[in-house]
Amino acid sequence: MKARTLASVAVAAWVVLVTSACGPEKSTEDADPKPSPPAASSTPPAKPSITPSATPTGDQPAPRTTEAAIERYEEFLHAVGREDIDTVCEVAGPAAEQAEDQGFGPCTATFRITFQMISPTQKKALQTATVDPTRVVELAPGKVEMPTESVKSSATFGEDELGSSTLEYLKNNWYITD
């Protein structure tokens, strides 16, 4: 996990949780997609699914491209801004499992605390944040880094607040792993 010097407890929680979110185990190769359970009602489940959505666009896996990684990270940023715990914990799954293994607690609990520490202005900015593709770094095939400066929003986020995130292509989709 990346070591960061943090200016406040709120900033510390934000970085730990963003770089350590929740979900499936990290895998070095793609797994066979698992079908999503049929929707019984429009009521959201009480507990988020920890299994990654293997069918992000119907029955097709997400493209293994930097563009798809950017879209997935933007989905995560928007979910943080909306306090959408299910999406946050699904996208940040592997990193959150690492944090939970280190004693930080489950993603759903730690991110709910983090949501309370983000200012309303920052939440609103995250809901429409975009990523500048020219600032994204491809580390290896199926692995990209989203530096803090790649996030474009109406609020400014520093490295000590948002931090850089690494996404990897696992189980037919992109997930935050660090």
Side-chain angles (χ1 to χ4, degrees), residues 106-135:
C107 180
T108 53
T110 54
F111 259 103
R112 283 195 171 96
I113 294 167
T114 301
F115 292 155
Q116 296 173 7
M117 297 177 179
I118 303 169
S119 75
T121 301
Q122 289 175 316
K123 286 179 191 172
K124 184 172 180 152
L126 287 170
Q127 291 175 20
T128 58
T130 59
V131 174
D132 179 354
T134 64
R135 295 184 179 263

Side-chain angles (χ1 to χ4, degrees), residues 12-13 31 34 39-40 43 46 66 84 108 150 168 170-171:
K34 294 183 174 143
T43 306
T66 300
D84 176 355
T108 53
S150 71
E168 292 185 61
L170 309 168
K171 300 181 181 184

Side-chain angles (χ1 to χ4, degrees), residues 44-99:
K47 183 178 177 185
S49 170
I50 303 231
T51 305
S53 61
T55 56
T57 55
D59 292 331
Q60 301 299 315
R64 192 176 183 148
T65 63
T66 300
E67 293 78 16
I70 290 170
E71 287 178 22
R72 184 76 156 161
Y73 190 58
E74 289 175 345
E75 175 186 2
F76 169 79
L77 294 172
H78 299 167
V80 171
R82 291 188 317 271
E83 298 186 25
D84 176 355
I85 194 74
D86 292 344
T87 301
V88 167
C89 289
E90 199 263 333
V91 175
E97 254 188 28
Q98 290 174 8

